[in-house]
């Protein structure tokens, strides 16, 4: 799929999930390289950067998207090649390597995170995170006897996908509305969610509702785990930049025509403070949220 079609599908959420949009963006840059008719290396690099900008602008909150795009464009530009065929080859390889590393990271998070799950655990998850599901599924495949509560995750109801996916795996799963979390929290041992972005102070940007769940879990002394590949950490936050919270069309919540005189707002992510996060599970290992700076330094340099 080409760059503009991919960007369009990311914007409309036909392609969704923080890791997934990064992999699709990498794939689109690969396609750009395969189809580019640039006549000079300069023209090729300019086109690549422009393609990257189009993809980055599709969704603002998941830092996985700009991180993936910049990893590829900077490597290709930085190689200083003056041959178009070599530039194409390098773009295709770098994008392919990112996709492979991303898939491996999700698997690795599953293996590492499953070590933190015990037989008998009742888990709550929010939205639909491949990283979080990797932990839950791996634990179940290891023979651990677990049960899951999945929130529906309004307004897009990605929790329906999660519930069906877990049921298909044979994992006992209960679907609840987002506002029912506190009703069931006493049964929950561990909350396991994904992340769209993690800031330098360990604050977690994830599907709206996550912060309320973290607060509820904290009060009930249930553990709160976040699963995130290392490319979901935001290097820009080191310089004090804030992560933008995407606000989507109010029509996704209710038909504004039926609510004359009512303002409808639709923020799709929220920020969970690090104090409510017990552990972040990455493909490099587990860490407290306070160690986010160390990971960012290792991953992105200064
Ligand atoms: P993985 C999703 O965003 C959810 O917020 C989910 O928790 C997060 O991406 C991470 O998902 P959306 O695209 O990368 O549904 O772990 O808004 O799959």
């Amino acid at each position: 799929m080409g760059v503009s079609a991919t960007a369009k599908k990311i914007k409309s959420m036909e392609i969704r999930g923080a890791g997934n949009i990064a992999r699709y963006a990498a794939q689109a840059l690969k396609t750009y390289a395969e189809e580019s008719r640039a006549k000079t290396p300069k023209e090729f690099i300019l086109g690549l950067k422009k393609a990257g900008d189009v993809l980055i602008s599709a969704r603002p909150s998941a830092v996985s998207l700009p991180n993936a795009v910049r990893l590829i464009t900077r490597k290709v530009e930085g190689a200083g090649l003056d041959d178009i065929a070599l530039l194409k080859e390098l773009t295709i390889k770098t994008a392919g390597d990112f996709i492979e590393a991303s898939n491996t990271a999700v698997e690795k998070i599953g293996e590492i995170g499953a070590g933190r799950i015990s037989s008998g655990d009742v888990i709550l998850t929010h939205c639909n995170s491949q990283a979080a599901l990797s932990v839950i599924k791996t634990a179940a495949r290891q023979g651990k006897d677990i049960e899951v509560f999945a929130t529906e995750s309004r307004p897009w109801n990605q929790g329906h996908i999660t519930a069906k996916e877990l049921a298909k795996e044979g994992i006992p799963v209960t679907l609840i509305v987002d506002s029912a979390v506190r009703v069931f929290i006493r049964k929950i041992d561990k909350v396991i969610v994904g992340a769209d972005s993690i800031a330098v102070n360990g604050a977690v940007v994830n599907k709206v509702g996550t912060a309320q769940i973290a607060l509820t879990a904290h009060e009930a002394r249930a553990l709160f785990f976040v699963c995130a590949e290392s490319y979901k950490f935001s290097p820009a936050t080191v310089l004090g930049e804030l992560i933008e919270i995407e606000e989507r069309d109010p029509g996704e919540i209710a038909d504004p025509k039926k609510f004359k005189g009512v303002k409808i707002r639709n923020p799709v992510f929220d920020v969970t403070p690090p104090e409510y996060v017990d552990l972040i599970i990455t493909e490099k290992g587990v860490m407290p949220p306070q160690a986010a700076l160390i990971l960012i330094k290792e991953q992105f340099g200064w």
Side-chain angles (χ1 to χ4, degrees):
M1 199 179 352
V3 170
S4 51
T6 304
K8 222 168 145 189
K9 288 194 176 183
I10 291 175
K11 205 174 215 140
S12 68
M13 287 185 61
E14 222 173 297
I15 296 171
R16 51 146 298 276
N20 209 31
I21 61 178
R23 288 186 288 275
Y24 268 93
Q27 183 61 43
L29 293 181
K30 204 172 160 194
T31 308
Y32 162 80
E34 282 159 358
E35 293 175 355
S36 170
R37 292 200 186 138
K39 289 188 185 68
T40 63
K42 199 174 161 197
E43 202 186 315
F44 178 86
I45 297 284
L46 261 173
L48 182 68
K49 283 168 132 179
K50 228 168 147 187
D53 288 344
V54 170
L55 291 161
I56 288 173
S57 69
R59 278 196 90 184
S61 295
V63 77
S64 49
L65 179 60
N67 279 350
V69 166
R70 287 184 190 129
L71 183 124
I72 297 162
T73 51
R74 283 183 187 159
K75 184 157 184 189
V76 174
E77 194 181 12
L81 298 169
D82 57 3
D83 179 288
I84 294 206
L86 290 178
L87 279 167
K88 285 188 174 184
E89 203 180 294
L90 183 63
T91 309
I92 292 164
K93 178 166 183 342
T94 311
D97 286 350
F98 174 82
I99 296 167
E100 203 188 314
S102 167
N103 285 323
T104 308
V106 174
E107 252 175 61
K108 202 87 211 285
I109 286 171
E111 283 161 27
I112 296 170
R116 301 280 165 159
I117 308 295
S118 312
S119 233
D121 273 352
V122 181
I123 295 163
L124 181 125
T125 190
H126 185 51
C127 199
N128 179 252
S129 155
Q130 288 185 19
L133 286 179
S134 178
V135 170
I136 296 169
K137 285 182 189 172
T138 307
R141 283 175 196 159
Q142 288 171 350
K144 289 175 183 165
D145 178 21
I146 54 171
E147 186 189 335
V148 180
F149 279 74
T151 52
E152 61 177 357
S153 314
R154 279 270 294 147
W156 278 77
N157 292 327
Q158 291 97 323
H160 293 187
I161 309 171
T162 295
K164 284 179 188 160
E165 216 175 312
L166 291 174
K168 208 168 153 201
E169 276 280 314
I171 300 170
V173 57
T174 306
L175 181 69
I176 59 172
V177 296
D178 301 334
S179 44
V181 168
R182 204 165 185 279
V183 174
F184 296 105
I185 198 71
R186 303 256 165 239
K187 290 183 191 292
I188 307 297
D189 299 291
K190 284 154 196 164
V191 176
I192 304 183
V193 295
D196 290 80
S197 291
I198 299 180
V200 66
N201 66 345
V204 175
V205 173
N206 193 47
K207 183 56 55 198
V208 69
T210 304
Q212 282 181 181
I213 295 172
L215 212 80
T216 307
H218 187 74
E219 185 210 30
R221 305 221 191 310
L223 291 170
F224 191 90
F225 294 170
V226 175
C227 307
E229 302 91 297
S230 53
Y231 55 79
K232 289 179 181 165
F233 286 71
S234 166
T237 56
V238 174
L239 303 172
E241 234 178 76
L242 296 175
I243 296 166
E244 187 186 335
I245 300 296
E246 179 182 6
E247 192 149 344
R248 295 180 64 89
D249 185 354
E252 290 179 355
I253 293 183
D255 181 358
K257 279 189 234 120
K258 294 186 181 154
F259 288 85
K260 287 256 157 20
V262 178
K263 190 186 218 175
I264 303 172
R265 292 193 61 180
N266 184 19
V268 293
F269 300 105
D270 64 19
V271 184
T272 299
E275 304 87 80
Y276 299 127
V277 177
D278 289 287
L279 217 58
I280 301 178
I281 304 164
T282 78
E283 76 278 17
K284 295 175 192 285
V286 295
M287 53 181 253
Q290 291 75 14
L293 173 65
I294 301 170
L295 187 139
I296 291 176
K297 194 180 162 194
E298 270 178 16
Q299 180 87 359
F300 305 97
W302 286 117

